[in-house]
Amino acid sequence: MGPASASRPFSNTLNPQTRLALERGIDLKNLPHHIALIMDGNGRWAQERGLPRVAGHKAGVDALRETITTCVRLGIEYLSAYAFSTENWGRPQEEVDYLMHLFAKTLIAELPLFKQENVRIAFLGDIEALPQKTRDIFHKGLSETSSHTGMVLALAVNYGARAEIARAARLIAQATADKKIRTDEIDAHLFSHYLYTAGMPDPELLIRTSGEMRLSNFLLFQLAYAELFLCDTYWPDFSCETLLDAIFSFQGRHRRFGKIEEGVHEC
Ligand code: IPE
Ligand code: IPE
Ligand code: MG
């Protein structure tokens, strides 16, 4: 049983998000355990309003807070959110600096919410390479939520899937050289234990906002069989309703995992 299962609501204690989910025909017993999010379109959201790009990043924080709260209320066990890629260092220095400051400020501001909602924070990516202040606050967030048993919020910061896979290969090579594992033990399952997501189930649902139809180096190993939900909404406009649309769409998919539908045997 996953960590958030115990907080799954019962019909006599329905919260507004769960009530809305039921009204929309969502089956609360068939929710994804892990949702991955590519929060994209902040810059365009701001530019359309004649604002600087960073105003979009600031507005995006509200959308993430609403998404976290909805996921907690529904009883989602893991939420992974792509906040900063290894490629995003190539943006103008002022934007990078603003984002690093925003991440630190937001984590401090949202810690009471994480405590209230029993959310445990995890990071995907190399956070040791972040500026000192951001890094210190991230470590504070990790230690202050480490005993929480509710939803895991995995923030992908300085994350790139290719770097993650190369790192896993390096760690496995070292473990092999140290005779901790044998080469014939190395398979996809063992490999997954050396990724940043070790211990987490693979996401069943990936949501990307802003109309882009690519993975942009996000969880390339883990998303092998995820269902994709791509919407035109810019991230700051993403709401509880859009999340429920994504879950409803997910529940209508036929996940075959390379096999054929049950009961279909004719060739
Ligand atoms: C996503 O929004 C946030 C980050 C990558 C940090 P963007 O900043 O990529 O917004 P667009 O895609 O340029 O509109
Ligand atoms: C992906 O968005 C990274 C994050 C959302 C943090 P980008 O805006 O960086 O991706 P591309 O450049 O459109 O592929
Ligand atoms: Mg973008």
Side-chain angles (χ1 to χ4, degrees):
M1 192 189 279
S5 305
S7 66
R8 261 178 221 248
F10 295 97
S11 54
N12 59 346
T13 56
L14 283 190
N15 55 63
Q17 292 88 345
T18 305
R19 200 175 316 119
L20 199 56
L22 286 173
E23 280 165 18
R24 290 181 168 231
I26 287 175
D27 175 2
L28 296 176
K29 293 199 191 70
N30 181 28
L31 294 170
H33 298 273
H34 183 176
I35 297 178
L37 273 178
I38 302 181
M39 309 181 288
D40 199 14
N42 295 351
R44 280 164 283 167
W45 180 92
Q47 276 159 353
E48 278 190 4
R49 286 161 178 75
L51 299 168
R53 288 178 53 82
V54 294
H57 298 317
K58 186 162 180 274
V61 171
D62 297 329
L64 181 56
R65 186 187 310 106
E66 181 173 345
T67 304
I68 293 168
T69 307
T70 304
C71 286
V72 169
R73 296 280 180 271
L74 293 176
I76 303 294
E77 292 155 56
Y78 298 87
L79 176 67
S80 295
Y82 205 5
F84 192 89
S85 74
T86 46
E87 289 71 33
N88 289 149
W89 294 110
R91 294 189 177 199
Q93 193 59 44
E94 308 91 83
E95 184 171 343
V96 171
D97 291 346
Y98 181 87
L99 283 166
M100 292 301 145
H101 171 71
L102 182 69
F103 295 152
K105 194 176 130 195
T106 303
L107 190 45
I108 291 288
E110 303 300 332
L111 263 180
L113 175 76
F114 299 151
K115 288 181 183 168
Q116 179 194 306
E117 301 293 349
N118 198 21
V119 168
R120 180 160 68 81
I121 298 170
F123 287 100
L124 313 178
D126 181 10
I127 63 165
E128 300 314 317
L130 299 177
Q132 174 100 45
K133 188 164 171 251
T134 307
R135 194 169 70 211
D136 290 349
I137 289 172
F138 281 11
H139 282 290
K140 179 179 159 71
L142 281 174
S143 69
E144 293 197 13
T145 65
S146 65
S147 63
H148 293 175
T149 54
M151 187 179 79
V152 174
L153 171 66
L155 297 164
V157 182
N158 191 21
Y159 174 86
R162 287 179 171 177
E164 176 188 42
I165 290 168
R167 172 181 173 271
R170 215 163 40 240
L171 294 172
I172 291 171
Q174 191 59 58
T176 311
D178 295 344
K179 308 240 180 298
K180 291 190 179 124
I181 53 172
R182 298 188 317 269
T183 49
D184 64 348
E185 288 178 303
I186 303 169
D187 59 10
H189 181 71
L190 181 137
F191 199 91
S192 70
H193 287 108
Y194 289 84
L195 298 170
Y196 289 118
T197 47
M200 295 168 62
D202 287 342
E204 297 102 321
L205 172 62
L206 169 78
I207 300 171
R208 183 169 186 153
T209 58
S210 88
E212 306 298 358
M213 300 194 185
R214 54 179 171 262
L215 293 177
S216 302
N217 205 12
F218 191 43
L219 300 177
L220 300 184
F221 187 95
Q222 299 88 334
L223 291 173
Y225 267 102
E227 295 296 327
L228 310 183
F229 183 85
L230 308 166
C231 60
D232 289 335
T233 316
Y234 290 143
W235 175 250
D237 289 330
F238 192 81
S239 63
C240 170
E241 283 77 10
T242 333
L243 177 66
L244 295 177
D245 285 348
I247 295 175
F248 185 77
S249 169
F250 167 79
Q251 292 187 336
R253 310 279 178 94
H254 295 286
R255 306 188 74 206
R256 288 186 286 277
F257 301 99
K259 305 185 180 85
I260 57 171
E261 298 283 0
E262 292 258 318
V264 178
H265 298 294
E266 281 173 41
C267 291

